[in-house]
Amino acid sequence: MRDSASLSWRNPVKKLPLFIAAACLASAPALAADYKCNGNRVEKSGSTHYTVRTSGTDLTIEKGGSTRGKAVKRGSGYAVEVGGSTQATIENGKILKGGSTWASVSDAQRVYDCPDVVAATLWVLEQKGQL
């Protein structure tokens, strides 16, 4: 008489958890950020799409030499400005619009693999149609 352990390789149901885990790992690259910061450049598929300029604690996002928006340090957070008008604020890991949570910085970093303020600024600019 054979024990059940020697027959386990024949039972496809017992292999199912391993198959599911392998399938999840295979699809992991699909979850990678679309854009990646490389120095002061924001790249997609190796091509530079935006440039990040810094001045003190403030930063400016440019495309083709044209300013798309800025993150200006205010108190403990940053104000994201377009044309001098505040569109959102970044504080405590949240992106706020009109005082209410719009998104989290980690949401932004799923799209833009960049430092927190850069990713959040790019995310806001995208939402506002400025990129």
Side-chain angles (χ1 to χ4, degrees), residues 58-73:
D58 299 345
L59 63 90
T60 302
I61 305 294
E62 297 178 351
K63 182 171 185 171
S66 174
T67 297
R68 299 298 182 163
K70 297 181 178 189
V72 180
K73 181 77 170 158

Side-chain angles (χ1 to χ4, degrees), residues 62-120:
E62 297 178 351
K63 182 171 185 171
S66 174
T67 297
R68 299 298 182 163
K70 297 181 178 189
V72 180
K73 181 77 170 158
R74 295 219 180 112
S76 62
Y78 284 84
V80 179
E81 298 180 350
V82 175
S85 175
T86 299
Q87 304 297 312
T89 56
I90 305 164
E91 288 185 38
N92 301 321
K94 295 179 182 176
I95 302 170
L96 306 167
K97 180 179 177 182
S100 299
T101 301
W102 193 6
S104 70
V105 170
S106 62
D107 292 337
Q109 288 178 310
R110 281 191 267 285
V111 179
Y112 301 97
D113 183 7
C114 296
D116 55 359
V117 176
V118 175

Side-chain angles (χ1 to χ4, degrees), residues 1-11 14:
M1 180 184 251
R2 295 183 185 179
D3 63 16
S4 62
S6 67
L7 297 176
S8 67
W9 67 272
R10 292 183 186 176
N11 188 345
K14 289 190 178 188

